[in-house]
Amino acid sequence: MERRIVITGLGIVSPLGCHVESVWQNLLAGKCGIVAIDKYDTTGFRTKVGAYVADDFSTEGVLDGKEVKRLDESAIYAIVAAEQAVKDSGIDFSQENPLRCASIIGSGIGGLLTLQEQEKRLLAMGPSKVSAFTIPRMIANAPAAHVSIRYNLQGPSFSVLSACASASHSMATLIDAMRLGKVDVGLTGGSEAALIEIAMSAFCAMRAMSERNDDPQGASRPFDLDRDGFVMGEGAGILVFEELEHAKKRGAKIYAEVLGYGVSSDAYHIVQPNESGDGAAHALRYALEDAKRNPDQVDYINAHGTSTTLGDIAETNAIKQVFGDYAYKLNVSSTKSETGHLLGASGGIELIFSTLALRDQVIPPTINLETPDPKCDLNYTPNQAQERKCDCVVSNNFGFGGHNATLVIGRYFG
């Protein structure tokens, strides 16, 4: 009999806040975390807006000042979100077999801020002034490693790196480990902190980001005819995945059941999706097959929906391929319209939002959807949250390189 997996803890660091319940309420209210960039001079940058981690972020009670200095923000965000998730789940890892506990946490870029800072030191002062902590801080597996060290998780511990699908691939990998009986409980999701000069200038050079600089709150507008690119965000979303019987034995609260996942590759282009949506459609189909759900049993899709011209069309076409006429009966929304695009962390925070949609039977909106693109003609839950009976939710995340990952979760009925 296949082992069942449930979600028992949630933790978040995001542009909409750094506490799960307040973030969720802000999301449902249609608030936006995108602002004008003010942490460095944006002269010469095509894009001057981004979504910083909210002001209520704090490491107090989690990390001391010495620890903070030795960590890149990508690891700090993961640790703080993991601490929330662990407390929320009520699990005491000191009472667990550490060899059956995992930390699989994705990052699309890793400690890029550390690399940028130390490059400046190298050029200004020479190699002897480069910090000995540079490599430990910048490696993309640092979030997973530090979380495993913090809680003595001696089972699988690593980071899956697949651009903006990193968190979703990490969660899918944990699902496999748990189904194979190798792991009973794990911390998973993603973390990212790349809202800095080098990343912004590189994405600007690609013309991938929105240039709606005079209207930060309206810059991310998935599926809208006037969209002109994504808006970069930062933060972390960490969840506790737990084998069902293990969770029941300790009396854990259960948010949702993890039903399945699907992965695929476009095998098409290093950054552009195929407008047909074929690759994403394969991931969707595989996910539903793995979850043993028919298309008409899905109620809501938390879309990848980055607000890029080709990406939104490709995802819409993928949904139509898989769901047929039923696609028009679904609720779809892109929460990136409010949080910005957290790159490798996206799948983590978006699975949290999907989980809360199941819990509260409400669909978060796609804000800034004012002039629908005729090629994007589904119900994207425009501008206002909608109540809906919701038993099964799909979360999509796609990354540069053609990496596609889809997760399916459902209400837990016992």
Side-chain angles (χ1 to χ4, degrees), residues 149-161:
I149 292 167
R150 184 177 183 84
Y151 300 106
N152 190 33
L153 312 180
Q154 297 180 25
S157 171
F158 52 87
S159 174
V160 178
L161 197 161

Side-chain angles (χ1 to χ4, degrees), residues 315-337:
E315 185 169 15
T316 297
N317 289 338
I319 293 169
K320 290 178 181 179
Q321 278 192 50
V322 175
F323 291 90
D325 291 341
Y326 182 72
Y328 294 92
K329 298 179 181 179
L330 287 162
N331 272 86
V332 181
S333 72
S334 173
T335 47
K336 290 182 178 72
S337 59

Side-chain angles (χ1 to χ4, degrees), residues 69 169 180 307 369:
K69 288 180 181 179
H169 275 125
L180 289 170
S307 188
L369 184 46

Side-chain angles (χ1 to χ4, degrees), residues 169 172 260-264 282-288 290 404-407:
H169 275 125
Y261 76 89
V263 295
S264 70
H282 291 320
L284 272 164
R285 287 194 190 95
Y286 296 151
L288 292 175
D290 189 43
N404 305 305
T406 295
L407 282 87

Side-chain angles (χ1 to χ4, degrees), residues 3 37 39 133 172 223 233 252 301 344 348 357 359 377 379 385 393:
R3 302 173 94 219
I37 291 172
K39 294 188 178 181
F133 293 105
F223 309 110
I301 296 177
R359 184 193 70 178
D377 59 349
N379 175 14
V393 170

Side-chain angles (χ1 to χ4, degrees), residues 222-223 332-334 337-338 364-369 380-384:
F223 309 110
V332 181
S333 72
S334 173
S337 59
E338 298 175 67
T366 304
I367 66 169
N368 300 321
L369 184 46
Y380 301 107
T381 320
N383 301 309
Q384 291 188 332

